[in-house]
Amino acid sequence: MTDTTALAVASTAGDFRVVRNPSPMPAADREAALADLKFGTQFTDHMARITWTRDGGWDNRRVEPYGPLQLDPAAAVLHYAQEIFEGLKAYRWADGSVWLFRPEANAQRLNRSARRMALPELPVEDFLGSVTSLLAVDNAWVPGVEESSLYLRPFMFASEAFLGVRPANVIDYLLIASPVGPYFAGGVKPVSIWVAQGFHRAGPGGTGDAKCGGNYAASLLPQQQAYDHGCQQVLFLDARDDRYLEELGGMNVFVVRRDGTVETPRLTGTILEGITRASVIQQLEDQNFKVIEKDITADEVVAGIESGDVAEVFACGTAAVVTPVGRLASPDFDVTINGGEAGEVTMRIRKALTDIQYGRAEDTYGWMRRVV
Ligand code: PLP
């Protein structure tokens, strides 16, 4: 482990008291589970937890057996949704070591979300400490199969039992982990996207740039409508003009022009600032692509696809990394992009990113942090 890549394990990381699960999954069962992964259904033997009170701050750092929470029915989160979360992955490299991709960026985004939702900020050292402490006991749950990973889900919620509408005085932060297989089993396939009709994910001054559960609750009905129209994902337009691309339910979006210019919606406060998005922009620029963050209308993208000026569209996020978009549909249009095939720039950037994440290429950016 070198100094530059070692996760800056917090001074507090050692403060996580470990209560071992008395009946962890037997190794043979775990290996069987790791050989048959479905997203978000299997969890590791432990979870990390820290509790905050308005008077005492963050305290009681622990790693404890994974299991149901005891929550008062009056817990504020169940009524007013004062809740935020993050998502990142631990990757096992060919040499057996375990690495994270830009975890400090997730810690910082958690705190931006916390400020918007009147939740307490979590010291970055505690965020990183929760990850290293959990992985220290659940390391065996990081799958070694190609393109698989251990998905980490940090989240924070109002656990105070109080029905008044105000920021809660008792908050819990938890970290759970779920092994996940390749997003595209059997090779990368372009997805079809439905443009949301009459629904918006976020509005000016709302919570669009916070990673809070409510944003996802609001996206479920339009997502269902996408399924009903034979599409896998929904694309949201802006709430003010109902014209400009914002993002998918859980991914940012990019448009590749025939001349090699790459465009992505600018961050207006209604879009989640994706860590993959920022990494893709940096990598494209380093490969001499011109990347423009701007307002992009759905109409101009559709016209560009029809004229051939738009060569590729892709989406990106932690779960699927970089995903080609093969079709864009709404009641007004139904267009196929690049013949429904994954584009060259899309696949090049996907490979560049996953090669760094899995240690197959040198990490010239200093993005990776070794944990185990
Ligand atoms: N947009 C939304 C709404 C998301 O939920 C996510 C996933 O976290 C992203 C974009 C992509 O963000 P990231 O690249 O940090 O995973």
Side-chain angles (χ1 to χ4, degrees):
M1 193 187 293
T2 66
D3 285 339
T4 48
T5 58
L7 186 62
V9 179
S11 49
T12 58
D15 294 341
F16 281 74
R17 185 167 43 89
V18 178
V19 180
R20 287 256 172 196
N21 189 329
S23 48
M25 187 181 282
D29 293 356
R30 185 184 62 237
E31 292 311 317
L34 291 182
D36 180 27
L37 293 171
K38 295 175 196 71
F39 184 83
T41 52
Q42 181 76 58
F43 300 94
T44 66
D45 294 313
H46 298 88
M47 58 192 189
R49 188 167 185 176
I50 319 177
T51 303
W52 179 91
T53 56
R54 195 162 297 282
D55 294 338
W58 291 108
D59 195 17
N60 198 8
R61 295 164 181 81
R62 66 252 196 221
V63 171
E64 56 191 30
Y66 182 93
L69 303 175
Q70 203 172 29
L71 210 55
D72 194 289
V77 64
L78 300 176
H79 305 273
Y80 311 124
Q82 195 189 6
E83 185 267 355
I84 56 174
F85 66 98
E86 269 303 323
L88 68 164
K89 288 172 170 175
Y91 306 87
R92 190 177 298 285
W93 287 11
D95 66 0
S97 58
V98 175
W99 299 71
L100 305 171
F101 179 73
R102 310 187 76 177
E104 297 89 352
N106 292 95
Q108 287 154 3
R109 188 171 65 189
L110 182 82
N111 283 337
R112 289 200 299 278
S113 301
R115 287 196 286 277
R116 177 62 184 86
M117 301 303 287
L119 284 161
E121 291 184 40
L122 181 74
V124 173
E125 308 82 63
D126 276 327
F127 182 96
L128 300 178
S130 70
V131 175
T132 49
S133 303
L134 182 63
L135 282 171
V137 292
D138 280 344
N139 165 34
W141 280 97
V142 184
V145 182
E146 203 176 331
E147 304 294 316
S148 62
S149 58
L150 184 67
Y151 182 77
L152 301 169
R153 169 52 61 86
F155 59 107
M156 190 195 289
F157 60 91
S159 46
E160 182 186 9
F162 179 60
L163 289 184
V165 182
R166 59 137 170 80
N169 290 330
V170 184
I171 305 292
D172 272 281
Y173 163 82
L174 275 90
L175 170 66
I176 58 174
S178 174
V180 294
Y183 192 86
F184 295 100
V188 176
K189 285 184 217 68
V191 296
S192 300
I193 288 187
W194 177 254
V195 181
Q197 302 297 305
F199 293 112
H200 300 280
R201 180 182 168 277
T207 57
D209 60 355
K211 205 162 164 60
C212 62
N215 289 344
Y216 298 81
S219 76
L220 297 178
L221 177 58
Q223 175 67 57
Q224 182 59 51
Q225 295 185 336
Y227 293 145
D228 294 345
H229 287 91
C231 295
Q232 292 111 315
Q233 297 281 339
V234 64
L235 171 69
F236 291 97
L237 302 181
D238 76 293
R240 197 194 305 256
D241 296 305
D242 198 26
R243 296 181 63 205
Y244 299 104
L245 308 192
E246 294 222 305
E247 62 182 323
L248 275 56
M251 284 186 262
N252 295 113
V253 67
F254 284 75
V255 174
V256 184
R257 300 258 173 198
R258 190 174 37 188
D259 68 2
T261 307
V262 183
E263 298 170 352
T264 191
R266 68 188 174 96
L267 300 171
T268 54
T270 52
I271 297 173
L272 192 78
E273 199 175 334
I275 294 158
T276 319
R277 175 187 181 278
S279 310
V280 163
I281 291 174
Q282 202 169 334
Q283 285 193 312
L284 285 169
E285 286 178 343
D286 289 351
Q287 292 178 30
N288 293 320
F289 285 91
K290 185 172 174 200
V291 184
I292 308 173
E293 299 178 60
K294 59 183 278 245
D295 294 334
I296 306 167
T297 65
D299 288 346
E300 71 176 275
V301 173
V302 171
I305 293 167
E306 285 172 337
S307 73
D309 185 43
V310 167
E312 303 178 32
V313 175
F314 66 84
C316 71
T318 297
V321 199
V322 172
T323 304
V325 176
R327 179 180 159 219
L328 205 55
S330 82
D332 302 325
F333 52 79
D334 192 340
V335 286
T336 300
I337 304 153
N338 193 37
E341 300 293 325
E344 193 260 322
V345 175
T346 303
M347 294 310 284
R348 187 174 353 151
I349 208 72
R350 177 184 171 81
K351 180 171 184 322
L353 209 48
T354 51
D355 279 352
I356 290 177
Q357 290 169 336
Y358 287 93
R360 297 185 294 250
E362 191 192 348
D363 171 22
T364 52
Y365 298 96
W367 283 338
M368 301 307 290
R369 298 285 178 272
R370 184 172 176 175
V371 248
V372 180

